[in-house]
Amino acid sequence: MNNMDPKSLIVIFGATGDLAKRKLFPSIYRLYEKGKLSEEFAVVGVARRPLSNDEFRNYVRQSVENALNQELSDQRFVSHFYYHPFDVTDTASYQQLKSLLQQLDEIYHVDGNRIFYLAMAPEFFGTITSRLKSEGLTATNGWKRLVIEKPFGHDLQSAQQLNEEIRQSFSENEIYRIDHYLGKEMVQNIEVIRFSNAIFEPLWNNRFISNIQITSSETLGVEDRGRYYDHSGALRDMVQNHMLQMVALLAMEPPIKLTTDDIRNEKIKVLRALRPISHEEVDQYFVRGQYGRGIVNGKEVVSYREENNVDPNSNTETFVAGKLMIDNFRWAGVPFYIRTGKRMTEKSTKIVVQFKDVPMNLYYRTNEKIQPNLLIIHIQPDEGITLHLNGKKSGEYMKTTPIKLDYCNNCIDGINTPEAYEKLLYDCMRGDATNFTHWDEVAASWQFVDPISEVWENTKAIDFPNYEAGSMGPKASDELLQKDGFHWWPICHPKQ
Ligand SMILES: NC(=O)C1=CN([C@@H]2O[C@H](COP(=O)(O)OP(=O)(O)OC[C@H]3O[C@@H](n4cnc5c(N)ncnc54)[C@H](OP(=O)(O)O)[C@@H]3O)[C@@H](O)[C@H]2O)C=CC1
Ligand SMILES: O=C1O[C@H](COP(=O)(O)O)[C@@H](O)[C@H](O)[C@H]1O
């Protein structure tokens, strides 16, 4: 299936929206600029507002220039873009789209290959896919693929319903469910760090690891997404997808081969091995928070309940911390702590693997406190790995000092580190679904988070807002680890 010179038509539904502007057009441009796309491709934008092809091309040019902060000198790129305005609920317009695709197929010699990218609100996903089939747009001589954005459902039941709808028109191996964290360079590096280093793989289990911590903190609030977010919250927005995907990559067994199916099968096993949390246990394993007013990056910001399109009495969580247990041989007894939230101290995603102490540390005899070994995987904004070790303090007898081995990925690759969407779009064009989520992963993730959201929806959080904007979340998040004898390792970069 893999093809290093992909050619296809890409139909973007929601082409005038935020995602297309900030992520999709710049990513397509980066691929083109790097020569990963030949001239054999065309992009058709769909949205309601009336634009001519020329207006749309200008819009695409501006979007790319703003996002990449560079001027587009080569006009050939935008000439590949076409616009077809219509309301996706209007059946008749699909026929016109179909004839446009047939014409472009001839012009660009794309052999009937088609990607349908749904960059629109999820309530349209089912309608669009069923129209694509009923109006004959999926009946093509080449391959057809559906790229579908999050959220994939609101809970297991709605996700199942959505899945059944889209499966009427596309088979599982034609569906590319986006989780943009899977396109991040250092998230993809997790497997390489684990499976290509003899010094880590033998230690990667409950005999040597005491706990694993994953933090994904944001400084932004809900911006203009209050309407969506107030019905979602951090658990559905970040935990069900990105956080659980990182847990799966950290915990999975080595795949037999690096094929899509082998990797996905191992991830699914982890998600199925997550210890289910009953309604009664939610408070024991999970903590929720909502930001109040505070200071972020030196500026005063409003509380969540004062944001646009947010209920002034909202019960929605903007922060989640949790303790996950994986009930299998490798991980029995090792807590995986996760936390994510908006309006926190710093924008950062980091994984800290804390190793157990050596069985008898001779240096405990001194009064010096010895640090555990930590492996830190810096996902963003800095990309790299830090290994915390202990060494001898120079000139001192029997004294230790912490030392760090630091590798900075984006110091070396610099601005050439590809953006997540760029990689994922390219993967989709080449037919590589490894870094997209399979339905079984989506289902297992919802099954895990559903009991938690059920409890939170039905019990008013009387202490909300319970963390100040600009902080690291509510006190209960620290207590979650303290009761196990651990603490959150700081997330600021060691260079700071
Ligand atoms: N923005 C982001 O950073 C992220 C977005 N997502 C997901 O991506 C999807 C798109 O998000 P985003 O770009 O922010 O959304 P926007 O609201 O910015 O854009 C929605 C797009 O849909 C079009 N549209 C709306 N209704 C219709 C209709 N009936 N017929 C045809 N077109 C229509 C709008 O154009 P017009 O008004 O002209 O019709 C617009 O182009 C969502 O599922 C979101 O959850 C996921 C992760 C991040
Ligand atoms: O999917 C989402 O992710 C972003 C955070 O992504 P990142 O790449 O900036 O870490 C989050 O802001 C958003 O609420 C959520 O929908």
Tab-separated table of all heavy atoms in Angstrom, residues 352-382:
chain	number	residue	atom	x	y	z
A	352	VAL	N	7.649	11.476	32.326
A	352	VAL	CA	8.743	11.181	33.251
A	352	VAL	C	8.626	9.714	33.674
A	352	VAL	O	7.608	9.309	34.235
A	352	VAL	CB	8.682	12.076	34.515
A	352	VAL	CG1	9.863	11.759	35.442
A	352	VAL	CG2	8.689	13.548	34.142
A	353	VAL	N	9.652	8.960	33.379
A	353	VAL	CA	9.694	7.563	33.804
A	353	VAL	C	10.607	7.517	35.030
A	353	VAL	O	11.794	7.841	34.942
A	353	VAL	CB	10.263	6.663	32.681
A	353	VAL	CG1	10.315	5.203	33.129
A	353	VAL	CG2	9.441	6.823	31.412
A	354	GLN	N	10.012	7.179	36.157
A	354	GLN	CA	10.803	7.153	37.402
A	354	GLN	C	11.179	5.705	37.704
A	354	GLN	O	10.311	4.840	37.864
A	354	GLN	CB	9.984	7.741	38.555
A	354	GLN	CG	10.747	7.703	39.870
A	354	GLN	CD	9.988	8.400	40.994
A	354	GLN	OE1	9.068	9.186	40.774
A	354	GLN	NE2	10.392	8.103	42.219
A	355	PHE	N	12.488	5.463	37.784
A	355	PHE	CA	12.960	4.104	38.061
A	355	PHE	C	12.978	3.859	39.568
A	355	PHE	O	13.063	4.797	40.376
A	355	PHE	CB	14.352	3.897	37.450
A	355	PHE	CG	14.297	3.868	35.938
A	355	PHE	CD1	14.419	5.034	35.194
A	355	PHE	CD2	14.072	2.682	35.260
A	355	PHE	CE1	14.330	5.019	33.805
A	355	PHE	CE2	13.978	2.648	33.875
A	355	PHE	CZ	14.110	3.823	33.147
A	356	LYS	N	12.933	2.578	39.917
A	356	LYS	CA	12.982	2.242	41.338
A	356	LYS	C	14.385	2.498	41.863
A	356	LYS	O	15.359	2.490	41.113
A	356	LYS	CB	12.625	0.763	41.521
A	356	LYS	CG	11.146	0.504	41.286
A	356	LYS	CD	10.756	-0.921	41.584
A	356	LYS	CE	9.241	-1.050	41.508
A	356	LYS	NZ	8.768	-2.428	41.500
A	357	ASP	N	14.478	2.666	43.183
A	357	ASP	CA	15.797	2.844	43.785
A	357	ASP	C	16.565	1.525	43.701
A	357	ASP	O	15.956	0.449	43.664
A	357	ASP	CB	15.641	3.253	45.253
A	357	ASP	CG	15.031	4.639	45.371
A	357	ASP	OD1	15.225	5.452	44.442
A	357	ASP	OD2	14.340	4.903	46.369
A	358	VAL	N	17.901	1.621	43.703
A	358	VAL	CA	18.694	0.379	43.698
A	358	VAL	C	18.445	-0.357	45.024
A	358	VAL	O	18.128	0.279	46.039
A	358	VAL	CB	20.201	0.661	43.487
A	358	VAL	CG1	20.473	1.097	42.074
A	358	VAL	CG2	20.724	1.672	44.472
A	359	PRO	N	18.571	-1.692	45.037
A	359	PRO	CA	18.134	-2.456	46.213
A	359	PRO	C	18.840	-2.035	47.500
A	359	PRO	O	18.223	-1.971	48.569
A	359	PRO	CB	18.502	-3.893	45.860
A	359	PRO	CG	18.731	-3.918	44.408
A	359	PRO	CD	19.076	-2.543	43.966
A	360	MET	N	20.140	-1.753	47.417
A	360	MET	CA	20.812	-1.283	48.616
A	360	MET	C	21.790	-0.199	48.182
A	360	MET	O	22.844	-0.495	47.631
A	360	MET	CB	21.576	-2.407	49.318
A	360	MET	CG	21.937	-2.025	50.738
A	360	MET	SD	23.289	-2.978	51.420
A	360	MET	CE	24.680	-2.282	50.598
A	361	ASN	N	21.388	1.005	48.400
A	361	ASN	CA	22.241	2.091	47.934
A	361	ASN	C	23.236	2.459	49.025
A	361	ASN	O	22.862	2.955	50.081
A	361	ASN	CB	21.367	3.292	47.574
A	361	ASN	CG	22.154	4.318	46.816
A	361	ASN	OD1	23.335	4.506	47.094
A	361	ASN	ND2	21.521	4.944	45.860
A	362	LEU	N	24.514	2.203	48.717
A	362	LEU	CA	25.563	2.451	49.711
A	362	LEU	C	25.592	3.912	50.138
A	362	LEU	O	25.970	4.239	51.249
A	362	LEU	CB	26.916	2.074	49.119
A	362	LEU	CG	27.050	0.572	48.804
A	362	LEU	CD1	28.243	0.343	47.904
A	362	LEU	CD2	27.175	-0.213	50.094
A	363	TYR	N	25.142	4.756	49.241
A	363	TYR	CA	25.258	6.185	49.537
A	363	TYR	C	24.163	6.699	50.460
A	363	TYR	O	24.167	7.825	50.884
A	363	TYR	CB	25.322	6.981	48.222
A	363	TYR	CG	26.525	6.557	47.443
A	363	TYR	CD1	26.421	5.566	46.473
A	363	TYR	CD2	27.771	7.081	47.739
A	363	TYR	CE1	27.536	5.127	45.793
A	363	TYR	CE2	28.890	6.635	47.062
A	363	TYR	CZ	28.769	5.657	46.100
A	363	TYR	OH	29.868	5.221	45.458
A	364	TYR	N	23.184	5.828	50.786
A	364	TYR	CA	22.190	6.231	51.783
A	364	TYR	C	22.861	6.419	53.146
A	364	TYR	O	22.296	7.016	54.038
A	364	TYR	CB	21.096	5.165	51.911
A	364	TYR	CG	20.076	5.219	50.805
A	364	TYR	CD1	19.574	4.054	50.251
A	364	TYR	CD2	19.608	6.437	50.337
A	364	TYR	CE1	18.639	4.095	49.238
A	364	TYR	CE2	18.672	6.482	49.323
A	364	TYR	CZ	18.190	5.315	48.775
A	364	TYR	OH	17.256	5.358	47.783
A	365	ARG	N	24.061	5.828	53.269
A	365	ARG	CA	24.742	5.943	54.565
A	365	ARG	C	25.148	7.403	54.839
A	365	ARG	O	25.363	7.786	55.957
A	365	ARG	CB	25.996	5.074	54.572
A	365	ARG	CG	25.634	3.615	54.619
A	365	ARG	CD	26.880	2.830	54.841
A	365	ARG	NE	26.670	1.438	54.522
A	365	ARG	CZ	27.617	0.611	54.187
A	365	ARG	NH1	28.869	1.022	54.115
A	365	ARG	NH2	27.363	-0.639	53.944
A	366	THR	N	25.328	8.139	53.767
A	366	THR	CA	25.646	9.550	53.983
A	366	THR	C	24.338	10.274	54.242
A	366	THR	O	23.271	9.712	54.099
A	366	THR	CB	26.314	10.140	52.727
A	366	THR	OG1	25.328	10.165	51.712
A	366	THR	CG2	27.510	9.342	52.298
A	367	ASN	N	24.410	11.545	54.569
A	367	ASN	CA	23.175	12.293	54.786
A	367	ASN	C	22.615	12.857	53.481
A	367	ASN	O	21.600	13.516	53.467
A	367	ASN	CB	23.401	13.437	55.777
A	367	ASN	CG	23.618	12.868	57.155
A	367	ASN	OD1	23.079	11.804	57.469
A	367	ASN	ND2	24.432	13.537	57.959
A	368	GLU	N	23.367	12.615	52.429
A	368	GLU	CA	22.920	13.158	51.139
A	368	GLU	C	21.682	12.420	50.673
A	368	GLU	O	21.624	11.199	50.751
A	368	GLU	CB	24.014	12.939	50.072
A	368	GLU	CG	25.322	13.598	50.368
A	368	GLU	CD	25.279	15.084	50.069
A	368	GLU	OE1	24.774	15.424	49.003
A	368	GLU	OE2	25.743	15.867	50.916
A	369	LYS	N	20.728	13.168	50.140
A	369	LYS	CA	19.533	12.513	49.596
A	369	LYS	C	19.856	12.110	48.149
A	369	LYS	O	20.338	12.921	47.369
A	369	LYS	CB	18.367	13.505	49.614
A	369	LYS	CG	17.050	12.823	49.536
A	369	LYS	CD	15.963	13.836	49.889
A	369	LYS	CE	14.590	13.230	49.816
A	369	LYS	NZ	14.209	12.568	48.638
A	370	ILE	N	19.650	10.857	47.870
A	370	ILE	CA	19.990	10.427	46.509
A	370	ILE	C	18.735	10.438	45.631
A	370	ILE	O	17.643	10.097	46.077
A	370	ILE	CB	20.659	9.044	46.555
A	370	ILE	CG1	21.489	8.822	45.312
A	370	ILE	CG2	19.684	7.926	46.728
A	370	ILE	CD1	22.628	7.881	45.547
A	371	GLN	N	18.899	10.906	44.396
A	371	GLN	CA	17.746	11.048	43.492
A	371	GLN	C	17.483	9.736	42.752
A	371	GLN	O	18.429	9.035	42.392
A	371	GLN	CB	18.054	12.120	42.436
A	371	GLN	CG	18.183	13.513	42.982
A	371	GLN	CD	16.865	14.045	43.492
A	371	GLN	OE1	15.822	13.859	42.881
A	371	GLN	NE2	16.894	14.690	44.647
A	372	PRO	N	16.221	9.427	42.493
A	372	PRO	CA	15.977	8.255	41.639
A	372	PRO	C	16.393	8.560	40.202
A	372	PRO	O	16.454	9.731	39.809
A	372	PRO	CB	14.459	8.070	41.719
A	372	PRO	CG	13.914	9.386	42.094
A	372	PRO	CD	14.974	10.105	42.879
A	373	ASN	N	16.670	7.534	39.436
A	373	ASN	CA	16.937	7.757	38.007
A	373	ASN	C	15.621	8.101	37.324
A	373	ASN	O	14.589	7.497	37.597
A	373	ASN	CB	17.509	6.492	37.354
A	373	ASN	CG	18.900	6.172	37.877
A	373	ASN	OD1	19.231	5.016	38.092
A	373	ASN	ND2	19.699	7.193	38.115
A	374	LEU	N	15.693	9.083	36.467
A	374	LEU	CA	14.494	9.499	35.705
A	374	LEU	C	14.853	9.521	34.230
A	374	LEU	O	15.950	9.971	33.865
A	374	LEU	CB	14.064	10.926	36.079
A	374	LEU	CG	13.757	11.268	37.533
A	374	LEU	CD1	13.423	12.771	37.640
A	374	LEU	CD2	12.586	10.442	38.046
A	375	LEU	N	13.937	9.060	33.425
A	375	LEU	CA	14.062	9.274	31.984
A	375	LEU	C	12.948	10.233	31.614
A	375	LEU	O	11.763	9.933	31.833
A	375	LEU	CB	13.902	7.955	31.222
A	375	LEU	CG	13.827	8.128	29.696
A	375	LEU	CD1	15.157	8.585	29.126
A	375	LEU	CD2	13.369	6.843	29.023
A	376	ILE	N	13.336	11.392	31.096
A	376	ILE	CA	12.306	12.380	30.728
A	376	ILE	C	12.228	12.478	29.209
A	376	ILE	O	13.257	12.674	28.541
A	376	ILE	CB	12.624	13.763	31.338
A	376	ILE	CG1	12.796	13.602	32.853
A	376	ILE	CG2	11.515	14.759	31.010
A	376	ILE	CD1	12.983	14.866	33.612
A	377	ILE	N	11.033	12.287	28.702
A	377	ILE	CA	10.834	12.446	27.255
A	377	ILE	C	10.109	13.771	27.065
A	377	ILE	O	8.972	13.944	27.526
A	377	ILE	CB	10.014	11.267	26.670
A	377	ILE	CG1	10.718	9.935	27.010
A	377	ILE	CG2	9.858	11.420	25.168
A	377	ILE	CD1	9.943	8.691	26.585
A	378	HIS	N	10.800	14.709	26.453
A	378	HIS	CA	10.226	16.050	26.236
A	378	HIS	C	9.484	16.024	24.904
A	378	HIS	O	10.101	15.958	23.845
A	378	HIS	CB	11.332	17.107	26.175
A	378	HIS	CG	12.281	17.059	27.337
A	378	HIS	ND1	12.097	17.784	28.479
A	378	HIS	CD2	13.415	16.359	27.529
A	378	HIS	CE1	13.079	17.540	29.330
A	378	HIS	NE2	13.893	16.672	28.777
A	379	ILE	N	8.160	16.100	24.990
A	379	ILE	CA	7.367	16.030	23.754
A	379	ILE	C	7.262	17.408	23.088
A	379	ILE	O	7.448	17.553	21.901
A	379	ILE	CB	5.937	15.498	24.041
A	379	ILE	CG1	5.987	14.160	24.798
A	379	ILE	CG2	5.107	15.401	22.770
A	379	ILE	CD1	6.351	12.956	24.000
A	380	GLN	N	6.972	18.438	23.899
A	380	GLN	CA	6.855	19.797	23.375
A	380	GLN	C	6.856	20.808	24.513
A	380	GLN	O	6.538	20.432	25.636
A	380	GLN	CB	5.561	19.951	22.550
A	380	GLN	CG	4.305	19.728	23.379
A	380	GLN	CD	3.012	19.859	22.600
A	380	GLN	OE1	3.010	19.917	21.398
A	380	GLN	NE2	1.899	19.911	23.296
A	381	PRO	N	7.232	22.047	24.302
A	381	PRO	CA	7.715	22.631	23.050
A	381	PRO	C	9.137	22.170	22.734
A	381	PRO	O	9.511	22.079	21.560
A	381	PRO	CB	7.677	24.146	23.293
A	381	PRO	CG	7.765	24.286	24.768
A	381	PRO	CD	7.150	23.065	25.378
A	382	ASP	N	9.947	21.915	23.783
A	382	ASP	CA	11.262	21.381	23.496
A	382	ASP	C	11.108	19.899	23.216
A	382	ASP	O	10.231	19.238	23.765
A	382	ASP	CB	12.225	21.633	24.674
A	382	ASP	CG	11.584	21.271	26.011
A	382	ASP	OD1	10.419	21.640	26.225
A	382	ASP	OD2	12.226	20.572	26.815
